[in-house]
Amino acid sequence: MDIAEAKDDDLPAIQALQAAAFEASDYGHQGEADLVAELIEDGDVVLSLCAWDKGQLIGHALFSRMKVSADGRALNAVGLGPVATAPKHQGRCVAAALIEHGHQMLMRQGVEIAFVLGDPGYYPRFGYSADLAARFTCAYACEALMARFLQPGLDVPARGKARYAPAFDRMD
């Protein structure tokens, strides 16, 4: 498996993968494929990674810009998602490799915090915490909203605000 940043001409394959992955899962809905296109169109993509196996797209993870502040200070923040793995490759750590690779790249770019709205049984293995996310007011606040620091030495905020990119508000 090879991981590379997505190129413009990868979008049709990414959308097809997202649609197939979410159709085959119990999570999400069919809006993820459109969400990817809207985040790109809005210019809110920070990092889009593709996993390839023998020239075939088998996984995709997207990190988008977020507006986040904590204790009166703006934080360099991203939202993870959507993340998808081709149905026949699920359970083979494709998504895990994409997420970890993305975290490493974002750390080097100085991103301080990442949020995810996802399965509470899956994302804590990558350091995401519902307790950290609960310190932020967010339109999507629930048990599935989690956050993790990407830089060492950051103080846990007393309170903060987190806002996903506008494309999330337009999802059906």
Side-chain angles (χ1 to χ4, degrees):
M1 175 176 67
D2 296 310
I3 295 176
E5 288 192 56
K7 297 183 214 105
D8 292 342
D9 59 350
D10 293 332
L11 182 58
I14 290 169
Q15 287 184 292
L17 173 78
Q18 290 283 347
F22 281 96
E23 183 177 302
S25 78
D26 295 331
Y27 304 103
H29 54 73
Q30 290 303 297
E32 282 77 6
D34 293 334
L35 177 61
V36 171
E38 286 190 40
L39 288 165
I40 292 168
E41 186 176 311
D42 292 350
D44 284 326
V45 173
V46 175
L47 181 62
S48 181
L49 294 174
C50 293
W52 299 92
D53 184 37
K54 298 175 187 155
Q56 182 166 348
L57 182 65
I58 62 169
H60 176 253
L62 188 140
F63 295 85
S64 60
R65 190 172 333 284
M66 287 184 70
K67 187 175 182 179
V68 176
S69 63
D71 297 333
R73 179 176 88 77
L75 296 175
N76 187 351
V78 296
L80 167 59
V83 177
T85 302
K88 69 180 184 177
H89 292 276
Q90 291 176 0
R92 297 183 184 170
C93 299
V94 174
L98 287 163
I99 292 166
E100 291 293 350
H101 191 86
H103 286 163
Q104 293 300 316
M105 291 180 74
L106 293 164
M107 285 177 195
R108 287 191 297 273
Q109 293 174 17
V111 174
E112 296 170 283
I113 191 168
F115 286 78
V116 68
L117 186 61
D119 182 352
Y122 182 73
Y123 288 98
R125 72 186 72 189
F126 303 105
Y128 285 92
S129 161
D131 290 339
L132 177 57
R135 294 179 176 271
F136 294 82
T137 59
C138 180
Y140 302 103
C142 66
E143 67 279 351
L145 182 66
M146 296 165 273
R148 71 158 283 179
F149 289 123
L150 293 175
Q151 300 297 328
L154 293 177
D155 292 328
V156 175
R159 52 195 286 156
K161 294 180 182 178
R163 184 171 180 348
Y164 274 85
F168 284 86
D169 297 336
R170 297 189 300 265
M171 284 187 62
D172 296 338

